[in-house]
Amino acid sequence: MLGTITTLVNTSPHASGTEELPDAEALRRFVTERIITEVAPPTNADVEPVHRVRARLAAIFVAPDDQARNRLINDALANATVTPRVVEHDDLGVHLHFFPPYASLAEHLNADCSMALAFLLVAGEAGRLRVCAAPDCNRVLVDFSRNRSRAYCDSRTCGNRVNAAAFRARQRS
C-alpha cells in the first residue's frame, strides 16, 4: 500500500510537473496498474475526490514532525469510512481491506492509505516518509533501506543527476 501512496502522490502536478490523473481513463490505468480491487470503473466524477485524497496524503509527507503527521493522519482517518475485513481474491493471498465493499475510488484510497500511514506512524517509522533530496524534485518516497539512508525518489535519475553535478563541481574547484 505504501507504494500505491507514493505513486498516487507523485501523479500530482507539484511532483511530476503535469497532472497525471486528469480524467477517468487515467484513473482506470492507475487502478489497473496498482491492482486496486473492489471499485467500480472510475468516471470523471471520481477525478476531483481522488485529487483531494492525494493532496491530503501529500501533506503527510511534508509535515514538519510526527505530531503534525499524527494530526494529518487522524484527519484523514476521520474522513474515512473504515470497515476492516479479511479478504482473499485475485491470487493476492489473504490480506486486509479497510474500505467498505465497492466504496468509491476516493473512499477506498483514503481508508486503505490512511490506515497504512497510521500503522507506519504507530510503529515509529514515520521518518521513512520523505521528499526527494534532489533540489529540483518534489516527488515523495518511503525509505525502506535498512539504515534509513535513501534520499532520492530514484537513484538512477535524481541520485545520479545530483551526484554527477557534485562531481563536476568538485572537478571545477
Side-chain angles (χ1 to χ4, degrees):
M1 182 50 59
L2 295 171
T4 295
I5 296 168
T6 58
T7 299
L8 177 61
V9 171
N10 288 336
T11 64
S12 75
H14 179 71
S16 69
T18 61
E19 176 57 70
E20 293 183 11
L21 297 176
D23 55 27
E25 183 55 38
L27 286 178
R28 281 191 282 277
R29 282 191 307 274
F30 179 78
V31 164
T32 301
E33 290 167 7
R34 298 307 309 171
I35 313 173
I36 297 172
T37 59
E38 289 190 14
V39 293
T43 67
N44 284 327
D46 292 308
V47 173
E48 187 54 37
V50 168
H51 287 182
R52 284 193 301 271
V53 170
R54 179 180 67 189
R56 187 178 296 128
L57 297 171
I60 294 166
F61 279 84
V62 298
D65 54 39
D66 283 351
Q67 271 189 323
R69 282 191 179 111
N70 188 10
R71 185 178 39 75
L72 291 167
I73 291 170
N74 279 333
D75 290 347
L77 289 169
N79 287 305
T81 304
V82 179
T83 309
R85 57 202 163 91
V86 177
V87 296
E88 184 174 11
H89 58 84
D90 298 317
D91 295 325
L92 298 174
V94 177
H95 60 281
L96 285 169
H97 282 184
F98 292 102
F99 56 91
Y102 292 93
S104 72
L105 178 58
E107 289 172 318
H108 174 125
L109 289 170
N110 190 51
D112 268 9
C113 295
S114 299
M115 289 299 296
L117 291 170
F119 284 123
L120 192 73
L121 183 77
V122 168
E125 300 291 345
R128 292 184 182 274
L129 302 175
R130 306 225 172 105
V131 176
C132 182
D136 58 344
C137 185
N138 293 314
R139 296 175 74 81
V140 300
L141 63 115
V142 179
D143 179 5
F144 290 114
S145 68
R146 215 177 305 164
N147 63 356
R148 298 174 184 225
S149 63
R150 184 172 169 203
Y152 303 109
C153 64
D154 186 344
S155 60
R156 288 169 293 183
T157 55
C158 288
N160 283 346
R161 189 176 63 250
V162 169
N163 290 330
F167 175 78
R168 287 191 300 274
R170 285 191 305 274
Q171 295 301 323
R172 284 190 296 264
S173 296

